Amino acid sequence: MLSQLKQLEDVKDQFQKCVRCGLCRSVCPIFKEDRRETTAPRGKVFLTQMLSSGEIEPGSKVSDKLSMCLLCESCSSECPSGIEVHKLVILARSMVSEKCPSLTNQLIFKKIWTKPQLLNRCVGLLRAGQSFGLLNIGYKMGFLPKSSGLLGQLPGRPARYALPETFPAITKQRARVGYFLGCATNYMFPEVAYSTVKVLSYLGCEVVIPKNTNCCGLPQMANGELATGQQLAAHNLEIFSQAEVEALICDCASCSATLSHSRDGDLPVYDAVSYIMQQLQPDFENRRKINKAITYHDPCHLAKAQKITTQPRQLLQMLPGIEYREMPGAGDCCGGAGTFVIKNFDMSMRILDRKIANIKDTGAELVATCCPTCTMQLSYGLSRHGLNVEVAHPLELLAESLGL
């Protein structure tokens, strides 16, 4: 693990690369709405440079400016000078957090989110609060943030409780893989986890799901607790290395991006759809028909961070009965970005409204996507606009087609 000082040394050369061409501004979802230079990606580069050189002091104003970034990597993907703006923003947030620590951030991202049992109890309290209507009352009285509605109704129990540590291949075994169960999938979309494991098993994988994994580390990295996030990612990778699996599979785009970019060993990390389409190549003949018009939303952490755009579309188009409709702006961010929507709700909704309009234009009955945060955000936006459109993971559809 690199110290903050060493990481800063490593990125200092990037400050000099910016030629102020402004290409980053043309792809930034926030700049498209805000039009202020301070919110543009190159503004963040200069901000980080000034922060690192001591020209400005860390504080709430700097923190607020840095919070206006989705970490969607649109700018990093397009920068002709190869500046990884998202990494600079993460590092700058870490520098601010170190100098001006936020007790709330430390409590949530360092104390609670790093301890699965404690996180479990907190989610249980949220679930109980929903059951008794307390969250709804708190929201109406203004005690809870506007983004509270994104949670939806939490499922009765997390996926972790229903999944064994080893799930055998139910056809001739072809591989032994690890399955990383992300926090959002575990607590909010357990059906996605069940579908992923069943599909892998059906296609000949023995699936190992260790109990002692933790959060992938992205929420911590994105919220100023960079070292903690790096420790969590390293912890998870070590557990799967010890389990002697051939590959680590994630059905959450953010988890697979974080773990694949954090690995320093030989264990390959795959997005689940990509692994299934490339390595297992399912047979779609004589499968159950879905009979729906479907479009697809590219999660930023899949399309931009991992350059995976083809495989999910291939899967959807090969499912029997599917009428696939490509969405205009399918690769545009939906504005969720984990905790961004909590801290910048109004901006997040402005970005989301563009996405919902594009979905509406397709006339699709269902939007498929490979990220639980996107699923939450899109479901909320569709409901907010009164549209009766489902949101699902492609592997839920594959499991349905396979009759699993």
Side-chain angles (χ1 to χ4, degrees):
M1 190 182 311
L2 299 174
S3 68
Q4 191 183 81
L5 184 61
K6 176 66 170 62
Q7 290 177 81
L8 185 58
E9 287 296 325
D10 288 347
V11 301
K12 269 186 173 177
D13 65 311
Q14 296 209 23
F15 298 145
Q16 312 304 322
K17 290 183 180 177
C18 183
V19 295
R20 303 188 182 190
C21 67
L23 187 57
C24 58
R25 302 197 316 172
S26 69
V27 295
C28 176
I30 293 178
F31 185 77
K32 185 179 286 185
E33 300 294 335
D34 187 78
R35 311 305 295 179
R36 288 184 298 169
E37 185 65 23
T38 52
T39 57
R42 69 181 181 188
K44 306 283 192 333
V45 174
F46 297 142
L47 187 65
T48 306
Q49 184 177 15
M50 293 169 73
L51 196 59
S52 66
S53 65
E55 291 179 64
I56 57 172
E57 290 294 323
S60 58
K61 287 185 178 177
V62 174
S63 180
D64 288 345
K65 286 182 171 59
L66 289 170
S67 79
M68 292 294 278
C69 175
L70 294 147
L71 300 178
C72 66
E73 303 192 27
S74 298
C75 51
S76 302
S77 299
E78 296 294 330
C79 177
S81 301
I83 300 174
E84 296 179 298
V85 183
H86 65 288
K87 289 186 178 178
L88 295 181
V89 171
I90 286 174
L91 188 54
R93 287 178 181 175
S94 177
M95 293 164 64
V96 171
S97 177
E98 187 173 283
K99 297 288 184 184
C100 309
S102 158
L103 295 179
T104 304
N105 266 13
Q106 289 193 338
L107 175 65
I108 295 173
F109 298 106
K110 205 169 180 178
K111 303 295 183 186
I112 296 177
W113 214 320
T114 57
K115 298 178 177 61
Q117 288 187 342
L118 189 53
L119 181 61
N120 214 30
R121 290 193 190 109
C122 290
V123 175
L125 287 174
L126 274 177
R127 192 181 297 113
Q130 283 187 332
S131 300
F132 291 110
L134 299 178
L135 293 190
N136 198 29
I137 293 172
Y139 175 71
K140 287 180 178 174
M141 295 183 71
F143 295 140
L144 295 175
K146 296 178 184 176
S147 56
S148 302
L150 270 85
L151 267 181
Q153 185 63 45
L154 288 166
R157 65 173 186 166
R160 174 70 70 192
Y161 290 159
L163 292 172
E165 287 203 61
T166 303
F167 203 97
I170 59 175
T171 55
K172 183 180 178 182
Q173 184 166 333
R174 301 163 64 186
R176 173 180 161 88
V177 302
Y179 169 62
F180 182 78
L181 178 60
C183 303
T185 303
N186 182 32
Y187 290 114
M188 306 186 70
F189 303 105
E191 292 301 327
V192 174
Y194 305 150
S195 296
T196 302
V197 172
K198 286 178 184 175
V199 168
L200 287 169
S201 169
Y202 179 82
L203 295 174
C205 293
E206 181 185 38
V207 187
V208 179
I209 315 161
K211 295 289 185 189
N212 52 345
T213 54
N214 210 317
C215 173
C216 69
L218 180 60
Q220 291 75 17
M221 296 180 195
N223 285 281
E225 301 298 335
L226 177 57
T228 301
Q230 290 172 328
Q231 289 168 359
L232 292 176
H235 164 80
N236 291 318
L237 290 166
E238 177 61 24
I239 284 174
F240 282 102
S241 294
Q242 291 178 0
E244 298 182 342
V245 295
E246 298 165 37
L248 175 54
I249 313 298
C250 313
D251 52 25
C252 167
S254 296
C255 294
S256 58
T258 304
L259 294 174
S260 61
H261 293 163
S262 299
R263 75 188 188 97
D264 58 5
D266 296 329
L267 179 65
V269 180
Y270 288 95
D271 160 67
V273 172
S274 177
Y275 180 78
I276 286 168
M277 294 303 289
Q278 290 179 330
Q279 307 293 327
L280 303 179
Q281 300 174 346
D283 176 12
F284 291 90
E285 290 293 324
N286 301 317
R287 300 302 182 188
R288 187 177 296 175
K289 290 186 176 180
I290 302 293
N291 291 327
K292 281 182 180 170
I294 292 181
T295 190
Y296 177 70
H297 161 71
D298 286 294
C300 296
H301 288 157
L302 198 63
K304 289 143 193 164
Q306 301 180 76
K307 312 302 178 193
I308 296 173
T309 57
T310 304
Q311 297 89 339
R313 287 174 170 79
Q314 284 178 338
L315 188 154
L316 293 172
Q317 290 171 12
M318 293 175 78
L319 288 172
I322 291 286
E323 180 188 342
Y324 182 77
R325 300 177 183 175
E326 185 66 26
M327 182 200 314
D332 294 347
C333 182
C334 65
T339 52
F340 178 88
V341 64
I342 299 172
K343 295 181 176 179
N344 303 283
F345 181 78
D346 292 336
M347 174 59 75
S348 175
M349 291 302 106
R350 287 162 64 182
I351 297 168
L352 176 60
D353 286 346
R354 289 178 185 268
K355 174 63 67 173
I356 298 301
N358 288 340
I359 293 172
K360 188 178 179 181
D361 282 349
T362 67
E365 302 165 85
L366 186 148
V367 188
T369 190
C370 302
C371 173
T373 302
C374 296
T375 299
M376 269 194 295
Q377 179 85 343
L378 296 175
S379 298
Y380 181 78
L382 290 164
S383 172
R384 189 166 172 250
H385 285 263
L387 297 175
N388 185 25
V389 179
E390 299 174 67
V391 186
H393 195 288
L395 293 184
E396 289 183 282
L397 302 173
L398 178 57
E400 181 183 341
S401 184
L402 294 173
L404 299 175

